[in-house]
Each structure stands twice: as structure tokens, then as C-alpha cells.
Amino acid sequence: MKLDRRNLSLSLVILVNSSQQIFAADLKGSAISIPSAPATELDKPSQGGKSTAPTAGIPKNKNNLRGITITGDEEAQKRTPGSTNVIGQDTIEKHHQSDLQRMIWEVPGLYFQDEDGYGLRPNIGMRGTGVLRSQKITVMEDGILIAPAPYAAPSIHSLPIAGRMESVEVRKGSSSIEYGPYTVGGAINLRSTSIPEAPWRAKANVAIGERYGRRVHLNIGGSQKNFGWLLETYQLGEDGYKHIDGGGTNRLSAQDVMGKMRLNTDPDASSYQELLLKLSVSGENSAESYLGLSQADFDQSPYRVYAAAQKDQMKLSRQAVSLRHSIEFLPKSILTTTVYQQKLNRNWYKLDSVKTGITASNIKSILSDPIKYSSEYDVIRGTTSSADALTVKANNRRFYSQGAESILSQTFGTATRHEINISLRLHKDEEDRLQNDDRYQMNQGYLVRTTAATPGTGNGNNRIGSVAALAAYVIDNIEMGNWNLTVGARHEALELNQDDYGASDPDRVNTPTNKQSKIAQTLPGAGAAYRLTPQLSVFTGVHRGFGPPTPGSESDTKPETSWNVETGVRYLSQIFNAEFTGFYNSYENILGRDLYASGGQGTGAQFNGGKALIKGAEFVVRTDLGALIGLGLKVPTFANYTYTDARFESSFSTTLEEWAPSVTKGDYMPFVPHGMGGFGIGVAKTGYPDLHIIGHYQSRTRVQAGSTDLNRVEAIPSYAVFDLTSGYDFAPGQRLYIDVRNVTARRYVAALRPAGVRPGMPRTVWAGISLAL
């Protein structure tokens, strides 16, 4: 069969022309990285990972175009030589979640730290990577990196509202090397709502909750023979569960709007093609703060916020666009090309320090020792201060991320079947900081601004950091009888640049201090899975882990590198699924980063941590107990648990907050709990209301590196929290429901960083209705 050169050339022209426009900057040196999986609107599994029917008018033989899924259906998971999990559409709709961290309670091997109770700024880690700002894992939407600046500033300050998604896919181990740049832990892919397959379809989910809570999720769309479209919005708001001294609450308003349009050739065309345009905008306005409580005040009133946080506020806006072209130019040859761009502006205006003597004290120090800093502590709580005593920092940042990626998938062979994926991605992103410090007086419990600073003055955060990347990978998935093998490699080559203008040049008229560096890494990986029976398989894999440093890093800062090994056993059947995996990650160099979120100075500086070793085991079981023992009703049940031992293998001194002042070989890493688990059970029978309870447990977790007994150091206490959902389907596609978050009203410590004790969300009741037309 001959290759259709005209259609292939068309797709390549889209990539080249788009790349030329996007990359006006010179990309010097070699570079390659792994593009996230490309996507079409076809072959998109939902309902827990099982494939849906093909789009209206498109026969099944066109359903083999590579989709945006990174996990695939149940059969694909059986063949995958690595750990994979899918939170399907049924689960998301059943629990009406908008918080990504609560969605992944069902997935083992993941760690997270709550921050605001709504999941607006997720803190997620995988297999010991650390959780702060999800900066060490790869997070995507429809296969496209969605961190504000994935290379230059990987901390995730904002995500699209997770409740808008159709499913959430998680991949760990050697099977995740395609989804870089961060390959130590793994990847999370948020799959947005598919264009409906019917000529038209609409869904509505509206709920009201305590504290004037409101939640609205609407979408409408449809498909014809050569055209499909979708419009969707998710709106979330609440007056907040924390009460600020002097009046007000930690109110929240968040919006997310997304649209898709698909054009495709006739389904029976000899060379099928599809073009998908996707646009999304989102925003947030919330009275969130980094200021927590002293332990004594938390014990007395956990949902209190000190008067000094009266002006704290987060404002952000995000816009994203992507254009994806897919062509099946041969029956088993598919080329998908995507051009994308994302912009995010945010200003988090929040209390930074208090000065009652000669020098100012940061809020973390004050709340760590209220006795030593008693005068500053009194000011935070409302005692009248001198003029200019309080510094409130405008953490103003602008981000962009853009690029073009293309992937060629070729399948051949019969007795031994190969699927070879070759991918190329050009990418550039940037973080622009221009911050200012305003000065306030505390006057009888109320903040009054006394001095407004010039933009760029204060702590010197007046700089631009950028990264240009050329990335590629080659992966061969081999199926040979009961064996499935994956071998391949990815290459990341980066140019890092930082221009620092300093606090004295807010207009940026002078020549900045410049730092430049280049990095290139080749990351091999291999895995194998063997099916012992149609249900039971074993798998193992090894791969090279990598995490790049950020612009402005010191000359001696090394990339984060590791060798990662996993071995597991998996059982998948119609009514019982189970997986057990052991993992072993040996770091040659682990990186730490100075963040406000960890109680540091927020400089973004990175620190070499030397050798480290993370080892552990995870398991997950899912079943329908009703079907398993013949009860005559559905009893969906899951349980998972992860044990992790994460330790430094080097001794060193450092100024990094969570490691300082020194680390001794054998010390435990902070923010990695030894134990974490999830549990859920439900009861459902047609014609009756259903009931579902899910829970999460986390063991006591240290927030400072060390080896002292956890009961004798500052640590987040262990806790368990449960959510309840009950609903009744009064007609097909029509449902009334009640959700109760933290149903036992557990008062628990969610975090001790960046400053003081912070509570988890209290019991919150929602009532709503969902309609599908």
C-alpha cells in the first residue's frame, strides 16, 4: 500500500509553519522531549476506562485513531507494563467532585496536601516526589501540559476546575516516560468532555450548599457527519468556611468555560482526517491567605483567620487554545499534530511579614514561635501597631506556555505485533515576576494602608525566566503471545534563561543580570508484562527519572535524576480488579526549591539534595461485593493503601526551609507520609435511592527533614475523613442528590506550611439535581 504523500505533507506543513511562528526565539543546540499523547475525539474511553461508541457517522474502522487517553481500556491496561489507574466519568458524576485531590482518593501511590478545601491549588506527589504545588509530576489536559510554565516555573498555582472533566488518568513507572518533562513519579491527564456522538445532547448539574454555596455545570453539543461541537461551563462559588477577624470570610468565586469544534472528512474517505479546535477560559477571585493559626488558637477555633489577613486575595485568569490535526494516511499509520498556547495572569496579594522592632519577621517564624515573637503575634491578631508595621506583598506574575507537537504511530506485524510511536515537540514557556510591597498599620483590629510601594520594589522579585525546549521520544510497544514489551527512550534538551532587573529598576530600562544554561538528558525505559491467565498478569519495568532545574539556578545546580524500578501483579475481571506494586526509586540527585508554599522566601532558588532512596509498595482492590456474593444489588467497593520509606542518602548543609539547617544521611524526607489509603463502599438498586461513602486516611507526616520520632517533632497529625453521597434517579438521566463532605465533622490539621496550622474543610452539605437530555 502506498503512502498518501499529499495528506502527510499537509499535516507536516501545519507543524512546521506553526512552529516557525511560535519559535521566533533562536533554539540553539540540540534538544528533544516527549510530547504528551496527542488526541482526537475518537477512541476516548469513558465509564471507568471502557471505550465509547465511535462518533456519529464514523464507522468502527476509523476508531483506531490515537486518542488523548494515556491509559486505554481494560484490555490495554492488562497489556501495560506499568501501573495505571482511571477515575471514570461514572465516578466523577456519582460524587459530584470539583476537587482533583478528592477524586484521586481512589488511586494508590499518590500523596497530597490540602490547602484551601476546594482543590484550587493542588499539592500532589507520586511515589515520594514530594507534594508542594504538584511541581514534580507531569500534569496535562487532553495530553497538553497545563502547568502555567511547565519548565520555567513548574509550580501549579491553578488548574481548570476538575469537575469539568470527563475522566482522570494516572500513569506511574516505566510506562510514563512518554509524558515528560517530569518522569520520576508519573503523569496525570485530565480528559475534557467529549463532543457528544448524537446529533445533539445537553447536560445540566446544579447544586446549592451551605454558606451560600453554588455549583453549576452545563454542557451542550452534538455531531453530524462532518462536524461536531461542544460548549461547556463550570461555575463554583461559596462564602467560605473560615471567618476573618474584623469581618469577612475566605469567599470563593471560580469560573471555567470551554468550547470545542471538530471538522472531519467523510468517514469512508480513503485517508480519514480530523481537525479539532479547543478554546477555554477560566478565572478565580478568592480571599485565600498563607496565614494560618498558632496551635493554641487552632485548638480553640480552627476556622478563624487573623485580622492581618483582611486584605489577602487571589485573582487569576487563564486562557488556552489548541488546534489538533489527525490523519490516518494508511490503515495502521496515524499522524497527529497539535499547536497550543496558554496564558495565565495571577496576583496573590497576601501578608508577608510584621515589624515591631528593628527587623521584620516573616509570618512563618511568628507562628512557629508565638512566645519569642509575642509582639508581632499580637499585631497579627489585631493589636494596634505602628505605621508601616505590616508588609503585604503583591505576588504578581504572568505566564505563557506554547508549542507544537507531532506524533507518528505505526502498527505492523501479526504473530509479533509492533506499535511504534515517534514524537517531536517544540515548546517555550516563560514566567514574568514584577512584585511590590505595600505597608499597613493595624489600627484597633483593622488594616489600614499607610504606604503604597512602586511596582517592582520590595524583595527584588523583578525578573523574567524562560525555557526553550526541543523534545522527542521513540517507543516500541511489542505484543508477542502472552508477552507485552515496551522499550524506548526520550530526550530532553533545554535552554534556560533568566533576566533579573532587581528592585531598583521597576521600569526595566537597565541591562538585567543574565543567567543562561543548557541541559540535555537521554532517558531510556523498558517494561514487560506477562499474562499468566486472561485475568492475571505480572509486570516489571525500569526507567530513567528526570526533573530539570529552573531558570536562574546556580551554576552548580544539577538536574534531578534517578533510576526507578517497579514490579507488580494485576488481576482484572468483570467484577473484581486488584493490583499490587512495589517501587524503588534511587536518586543520584534530588532537587529542593525555595517556595512561599513551603514557608520559604519564595525566591525559586533550587538546591541539590544529593543521593536519596524512595521505596515502598501500593495496592488497590475494586469490586462489586453484591455481584461477588450474589446479593441481588450493587455494592461497589474499593480499598487502597500506599507505604513509603523516603530517605536522604547524603549529608549536607542547606538554607532550604524544609531541609535546613542540615541533612544527615538516613534522614526522612518531609511531606511524604509513611502511610496513605482510601476506602469506599456503596449500595445501589434500580428504583431505589443509592448511598456511597468514600474515605481517605493519612498517617502522621513530618514537615521537616529529620530522623527524630514523629511524636516529638512538628508534624501533621494523622487523620481520616469521609464523604457521603446519596441520590435518586427519578427518571432516566434525571437525578436528585445530596452530598456531604467530611460527614463526621472531623476537625483536622490539613497543613502546617507555609505559616501556621491550617484546617481541613468542615462538614459541608450540598443538594442538587442533574439532568441529561
Side-chain angles (χ1 to χ4, degrees):
M1 186 174 292
K2 294 183 178 180
L3 179 67
D4 190 331
R5 298 180 185 273
R6 290 173 299 174
N7 290 325
L8 176 58
S9 298
L10 171 64
S11 186
L12 292 175
V13 166
I14 292 174
L15 172 62
V16 174
N17 288 345
S18 301
S19 301
Q20 289 174 345
Q21 295 176 17
I22 290 173
F23 288 88
D26 182 22
L27 287 178
K28 300 178 180 178
S30 62
I32 312 182
S33 140
I34 190 165
S36 320
T40 70
E41 279 298 310
L42 303 183
D43 196 21
K44 296 179 67 174
S46 62
Q47 311 296 327
K50 297 181 180 180
S51 297
T52 62
T55 303
I58 300 177
K60 286 185 177 180
N61 63 3
K62 300 299 181 188
N63 206 28
N64 61 348
L65 291 184
R66 184 179 172 92
I68 59 176
T69 177
I70 67 171
T71 57
D73 59 17
E74 185 174 288
E75 286 302 314
Q77 291 185 53
K78 290 179 181 179
R79 299 189 298 269
T80 300
S83 181
T84 65
N85 298 91
V86 179
I87 306 299
Q89 187 175 15
D90 280 354
T91 300
I92 293 174
E93 292 182 350
K94 178 174 63 183
H95 296 292
H96 315 107
Q97 284 288 4
S98 60
D99 182 347
L100 176 61
Q101 294 181 155
R102 277 179 135 84
M103 286 182 185
I104 59 176
W105 280 2
E106 294 195 22
V107 181
L110 272 63
Y111 322 86
F112 35 88
Q113 177 179 288
D114 198 5
E115 182 167 335
D116 48 50
Y118 307 105
L120 300 173
R121 274 156 289 283
N123 295 285
I124 302 172
M126 292 185 182
R127 294 183 173 174
T129 60
V131 299
L132 292 175
R133 287 288 180 268
S134 308
Q135 61 178 321
K136 290 193 175 185
I137 63 175
T138 297
V139 184
M140 303 168 286
E141 180 180 349
D142 295 339
I144 297 173
L145 299 172
I146 58 172
Y151 287 85
S155 296
I156 296 181
H157 308 284
S158 171
L159 281 179
I161 299 176
R164 175 171 66 76
M165 302 302 158
E166 185 173 84
S167 67
V168 177
E169 304 170 318
V170 180
R171 180 168 282 200
K172 296 163 287 183
S174 60
S175 63
S176 68
I177 66 166
E178 296 176 57
Y179 310 103
Y182 301 93
T183 63
V184 175
I188 294 178
N189 185 41
L190 310 177
R191 286 205 298 112
S192 64
T193 303
S194 304
I195 293 175
E197 301 164 0
W200 81 276
R201 185 169 295 167
K203 288 185 177 181
N205 190 329
V206 180
I208 58 174
E210 292 185 78
R211 302 178 293 275
Y212 298 98
R214 56 270 185 202
R215 188 172 65 207
V216 178
H217 184 196
L218 308 172
N219 66 58
I220 184 170
S223 290
Q224 303 298 327
K225 183 178 181 181
N226 301 109
F227 177 75
W229 64 281
L230 174 74
L231 290 175
E232 183 172 36
T233 183
Y234 199 109
Q235 311 280 326
L236 179 65
E238 185 181 309
D239 277 5
Y241 61 91
K242 300 178 187 177
H243 300 276
I244 304 171
D245 293 349
T249 60
N250 65 321
R251 62 195 180 280
L252 161 70
S253 177
Q255 308 81 33
D256 201 335
V257 179
M258 186 269 289
K260 291 182 179 181
M261 183 177 70
R262 187 195 69 241
L263 298 174
N264 55 271
T265 59
D266 288 344
D268 296 326
S270 59
S271 181
Y272 178 79
Q273 297 188 59
E274 182 176 289
L275 189 66
L276 179 68
L277 174 66
K278 177 184 171 187
L279 302 168
S280 64
V281 295
S282 58
E284 176 194 338
N285 190 335
S286 61
E288 287 296 333
S289 174
Y290 272 2
L291 185 63
L293 298 168
S294 68
Q295 186 63 57
D297 287 334
F298 177 88
D299 293 340
Q300 184 175 0
S301 182
Y303 307 115
R304 174 189 181 186
V305 179
Y306 296 134
Q310 289 170 2
K311 304 298 182 181
D312 289 13
Q313 185 177 36
M314 163 68 92
K315 291 184 178 180
L316 67 84
S317 62
R318 173 182 177 269
Q319 305 88 39
V321 59
S322 65
L323 182 65
R324 176 170 277 137
H325 174 259
S326 297
I327 175 174
E328 184 183 23
F329 55 87
L330 293 173
K332 295 183 180 181
S333 300
I334 301 165
L335 180 66
T336 299
T337 300
T338 305
V339 179
Y340 59 89
Q341 184 183 74
Q342 175 183 251
K343 295 181 179 180
L344 188 146
N345 296 332
R346 55 142 275 196
N347 187 4
W348 199 341
Y349 193 65
K350 59 182 184 290
L351 181 70
D352 182 67
S353 63
V354 179
K355 182 179 179 180
T356 60
I358 298 176
T359 59
S361 301
N362 64 52
I363 56 175
K364 188 263 179 183
S365 299
I366 296 168
L367 291 176
S368 294
D369 195 343
I371 297 176
K372 178 180 178 180
Y373 299 95
S374 59
S375 58
E376 292 89 346
Y377 176 59
D378 289 340
V379 170
I380 284 177
R381 299 172 83 236
T383 299
T384 298
S385 72
S386 60
D388 292 352
L390 298 97
T391 299
V392 180
K393 185 184 302 297
N395 293 276
N396 197 4
R397 304 178 193 177
R398 293 180 300 195
F399 306 87
Y400 83 78
S401 172
Q402 58 188 15
E405 60 182 355
S406 192
I407 184 167
L408 175 65
S409 179
Q410 174 69 57
T411 302
F412 61 89
T414 52
T416 299
R417 179 179 177 274
H418 294 260
E419 181 191 334
I420 297 179
N421 296 315
I422 303 173
S423 181
L424 174 70
R425 179 173 66 201
L426 300 169
H427 178 94
K428 186 174 183 180
D429 60 49
E430 178 180 285
E431 179 198 38
D432 186 340
R433 297 189 180 199
L434 183 61
Q435 303 180 177
N436 65 280
D437 298 346
D438 291 337
R439 307 296 172 137
Y440 284 80
Q441 177 186 21
M442 181 66 71
N443 189 349
Q444 298 182 1
Y446 293 91
L447 275 181
V448 179
R449 189 166 69 175
T450 49
T451 302
T454 302
T457 62
N459 69 341
N461 271 334
N462 179 15
R463 63 178 187 261
I464 301 173
S466 63
V467 175
L470 177 63
Y473 70 83
V474 178
I475 300 290
D476 187 5
N477 298 301
I478 307 167
E479 185 174 353
M480 185 173 54
N482 289 334
W483 285 96
N484 286 90
L485 309 174
T486 296
V487 294
R490 142 193 206 95
H491 186 78
E492 289 273 1
L494 319 173
E495 283 193 355
L496 294 77
N497 185 83
Q498 185 190 80
D499 290 331
D500 193 338
Y501 293 87
S504 61
D505 188 16
D507 295 325
R508 296 178 174 175
V509 296
N510 299 319
T511 302
T513 301
N514 180 263
K515 290 183 179 180
Q516 293 184 355
S517 60
K518 294 183 180 180
I519 295 171
Q521 287 278 328
T522 300
L523 314 169
Y530 182 76
R531 293 187 299 280
L532 299 168
T533 72
Q535 295 79 30
L536 182 65
S537 60
V538 293
F539 60 89
T540 190
V542 59
H543 76 282
R544 183 70 162 164
F546 172 69
T550 53
S553 298
E554 297 301 324
S555 58
D556 64 345
T557 302
K558 304 174 184 177
E560 187 166 85
T561 53
S562 66
W563 282 105
N564 305 337
V565 180
E566 68 170 351
T567 300
V569 58
R570 180 187 296 126
Y571 184 91
L572 298 176
S573 70
Q574 291 295 320
I575 60 173
F576 184 84
N577 297 338
E579 183 174 296
F580 178 89
T581 309
F583 56 89
Y584 184 96
N585 299 347
S586 179
Y587 286 82
E588 294 162 354
N589 184 54
I590 191 169
L591 284 177
R593 189 165 180 235
D594 180 37
L595 300 174
Y596 286 122
S598 62
Q601 299 301 311
T603 64
Q606 291 189 300
F607 298 82
N608 295 319
K611 294 181 179 180
L613 181 62
I614 298 173
K615 54 187 177 181
E618 61 190 45
F619 81 84
V620 61
V621 175
R622 296 187 181 91
T623 188
D624 180 352
L625 287 177
L628 197 64
I629 60 179
L631 292 179
L633 70 163
K634 294 180 179 179
V635 186
T637 307
F638 80 87
N640 66 65
Y641 188 79
T642 303
Y643 171 78
T644 309
D645 185 289
R647 306 194 195 205
F648 291 96
E649 293 291 297
S650 302
S651 299
F652 56 92
S653 298
T654 180
T655 58
L656 184 65
E657 177 64 32
E658 64 264 30
W659 296 352
S662 64
V663 167
T664 302
K665 180 180 179 180
D667 281 355
Y668 290 103
M669 295 180 188
F671 302 109
V672 181
H674 287 310
M676 180 172 280
F679 169 81
I681 190 168
V683 178
K685 185 175 178 64
T686 303
Y688 294 88
D690 55 51
L691 178 68
H692 304 272
I693 296 176
I694 60 172
H696 166 71
Y697 164 78
Q698 178 175 309
S699 67
R700 189 172 178 87
T701 305
R702 68 177 65 244
V703 296
Q704 190 79 30
S707 56
T708 306
D709 187 284
L710 276 171
N711 293 317
R712 299 171 56 195
V713 298
E714 186 180 28
I716 300 171
S718 62
Y719 68 89
V721 62
F722 297 89
D723 292 350
L724 177 148
T725 295
S726 180
Y728 176 68
D729 297 321
F730 59 91
Q734 325 300 315
R735 180 176 176 83
L736 292 170
Y737 64 86
I738 294 176
D739 297 332
V740 186
R741 304 288 183 252
N742 189 4
V743 66
T744 62
R746 173 72 181 270
R747 292 186 172 188
Y748 64 97
V749 176
L752 295 177
R753 294 288 188 272
V757 185
R758 307 177 77 180
M761 179 179 282
R763 180 166 56 204
T764 304
V765 180
W766 291 83
I769 182 171
S770 62
L771 307 172
L773 304 175

